[in-house]
Amino acid sequence: MLVQPGVHYYPGWLSREGQEALVTELETALEIAPWFQPTMPRWGTPFSVRMTNLGPLGWVSDKSGYRYQALHPDTGNPWPQLPESIRDLWRDVADYPHPPEACLVNYYGGKAKMGLHQDRDEADFDAPVVSLSLGDDALFRIGTLERDGPTTSLKLKSGDVLVFGGPARLAFHGIDRIYPGYSTLLREGGRINMTLRRVTYPAA
Ligand code: SIN
Ligand code: FE2
């Protein structure tokens, strides 16, 4: 379903069985790459979400800024590999000929949210951002290339996929709230969002 130019919504893309298998893979990945606490650049205010990453590069945020790096900020180890189902997801929906390099995994407890922002720390904006929701429902909002432009709200559910690229690649977006306790997928409750991105220009 086309939400607005460049924004495609695939409700229920991943089956319950597929979601459970992915959560099991995530649990293994978390043993190598545990949740870390991102903080805002400069002030060091903690985000309300916790994060980890999969793939060759991971997105991190701390006092010195936002960036991609190959190593976990706390353990110093490389990020775990991208699960096959995640690479399949990219191949099926990204409409982009090169593999993703980063899968940011955000964990939202019941009170977590994410303010409106653009994903713009990548070199290659030809690739879309592909996002998969797991666990509790979330109220997602996406707008235009301007922070105060009009926005559309979607309630993202477990297994839903959202792709934003092309004219919407730099659209402002965020999570207004979580609806805690709706899903039985995650043992600890809450919501996980996995965001796939191409970071670098592919070699010519
Ligand atoms: C993000 O924009 O990084 C997260 C979006 C989401 O949680 O659905
Ligand atoms: Fe984002």
Side-chain angles (χ1 to χ4, degrees):
M1 172 191 147
L2 186 66
V3 177
Q4 67 189 51
V7 182
H8 297 265
Y9 178 41
Y10 303 93
W13 191 88
L14 193 61
S15 68
R16 174 73 188 206
E17 297 71 50
Q19 296 169 42
E20 285 171 359
L22 188 53
V23 168
T24 302
E25 288 187 274
L26 271 177
E27 283 167 355
T28 306
L30 281 163
E31 290 170 15
I32 304 167
W35 300 116
F36 65 90
Q37 177 62 68
T39 59
M40 291 298 286
R42 292 167 62 88
W43 309 115
T45 317
F47 285 44
S48 61
V49 299
R50 285 178 292 157
M51 295 180 171
T52 191
N53 289 272
L54 310 173
L57 291 172
W59 189 87
V60 300
S61 179
D62 59 23
K63 277 192 168 182
S64 45
Y66 306 139
R67 65 190 172 276
Y68 282 95
Q69 63 184 42
L71 304 178
H72 190 290
D74 297 335
T75 68
N77 292 324
W79 306 105
Q81 283 190 354
L82 288 172
E84 195 164 324
S85 58
I86 285 296
R87 281 183 278 132
D88 290 349
L89 165 63
W90 179 268
R91 202 193 46 231
D92 291 349
V93 302
D95 192 22
Y96 180 80
H98 306 282
E101 293 174 301
C103 176
L104 171 64
V105 188
N106 289 319
Y107 178 74
Y108 296 77
K111 294 204 167 80
K113 53 190 169 194
M114 173 116 24
L116 281 182
H117 66 276
Q118 293 170 295
D119 288 8
R120 57 170 190 202
D121 300 317
E122 302 75 31
D124 189 355
F125 293 140
D126 288 342
V129 175
V130 173
S131 134
L132 169 68
S133 295
L134 295 170
D136 285 337
D137 295 358
L139 190 60
F140 174 84
R141 201 143 57 89
I142 188 156
T144 65
L145 307 188
E146 270 138 57
R147 180 176 287 283
D148 51 7
T151 59
T152 304
S153 290
L154 290 172
K155 203 187 239 191
L156 297 180
K157 296 183 162 50
S158 199
D160 291 359
V161 166
L162 193 91
V163 180
F164 51 102
R169 176 60 181 76
L170 292 173
F172 277 88
H173 61 279
I175 293 289
D176 289 330
R177 62 162 299 192
I178 300 298
Y179 298 89
Y182 275 72
S183 167
T184 54
L185 184 70
L186 304 177
R187 235 191 295 281
E188 69 277 32
R191 171 177 185 260
I192 287 176
N193 172 255
M194 302 177 77
T195 310
L196 290 162
R197 307 193 189 95
R198 178 77 198 189
V199 180
T200 65
Y201 281 110

